[in-house]
Amino acid sequence: MSDFAFNFLSPSAPTSAPTSAPNSSPPSSPTPLLPPVEYIPPSNPLLPPSSPHPLYPSILLVNPPTSLQDLPSTHDLTEGFEGGHKTWESSVDLLSVLKPHPNSSILELGCGTSLPTLHLLSLSPSSTATVLDYNLSVLTSITFPNFLINNLSQRVKFFSGDWNLMSGKWDVIIMSETVYTPLKASETYELLGKHLRKNGTGYVGGKRFYFGCG
């Protein structure tokens, strides 16, 4: 049986104040279904400015954009809606429960800054990862640079698109803040069942309560 490690802020888990949910699309229109497409990083990328994570200083993260004007011109975010350009609270909480998974294939869906996978790859030098975010701009400006500055990019494949159209199976699956509505909670459960190999491990980070989700 597969092992599911849900982290819904039990009394012993790190606590986070309730916040609005991370929407995956602007609230004014439904998100179009985009088949996942692999992003091939440039062969000679530049190292962006970065800073150690305040709680996990061994992990470097690129400095996030301070406004929409700082995002790439091709981004598909709009005012009043946040996506993967920030590290959500439950991503940080997951780091306290991640354990080494040697010789494993790792999948992170809705990766954003991909903090959990950065940490898990550092714990598991023989493992590789696939990460997916809906927004290509997140992969190019945040996700890939984070793996690059931590010398982990050669062990990762990057995809942008809709997670419901992803194919394949993995030994470990990571999802953070993907249960903020009943529909997304159901999708999370179905994605774990679809993509997790037998005897695999699923890590899902989320809050006990959400509000402002629509």
Side-chain angles (χ1 to χ4, degrees), residues 8-85:
F8 290 110
L9 295 184
S10 62
S12 59
T15 58
S16 302
T19 62
S20 298
N23 296 326
S24 60
S25 64
S28 59
S29 61
T31 306
L33 296 179
L34 299 177
V37 175
E38 185 173 3
Y39 164 66
I40 306 299
S43 56
N44 295 300
L46 298 177
L47 290 175
S50 61
S51 303
H53 189 277
L55 298 180
Y56 296 89
S58 63
I59 300 176
L60 297 174
L61 298 178
V62 298
N63 297 333
T66 56
S67 68
L68 286 179
Q69 286 70 34
D70 296 330
L71 296 178
S73 59
T74 55
H75 74 84
D76 56 356
L77 306 184
T78 61
E79 292 285 357
F81 137 79
E82 295 176 288
H85 287 90

Side-chain angles (χ1 to χ4, degrees), residues 108-184:
E108 184 174 3
L109 295 174
C111 61
T113 63
S114 210
L115 180 63
T117 299
L118 287 165
H119 182 62
L120 189 53
L121 285 181
S122 69
L123 297 176
S124 313
S126 58
S127 296
T128 59
T130 299
V131 298
L132 175 141
D133 197 276
Y134 182 81
N135 300 310
L136 177 60
S137 67
V138 171
L139 293 183
T140 59
S141 63
I142 298 291
T143 314
F144 166 66
N146 279 342
F147 285 99
L148 178 66
I149 60 180
N150 287 280
N151 297 314
L152 296 170
S153 61
Q154 297 301 316
R155 296 162 56 191
V156 184
K157 290 186 176 181
F158 305 88
F159 287 84
S160 65
D162 192 285
W163 58 30
N164 290 299
L165 303 179
M166 197 69 174
S167 62
K169 288 186 177 292
W170 286 263
D171 301 310
V172 180
I173 296 178
I174 300 171
M175 303 179 75
S176 303
E177 303 287 8
T178 60
V179 293
Y180 54 90
T181 68
L183 175 60
K184 292 301 180 183

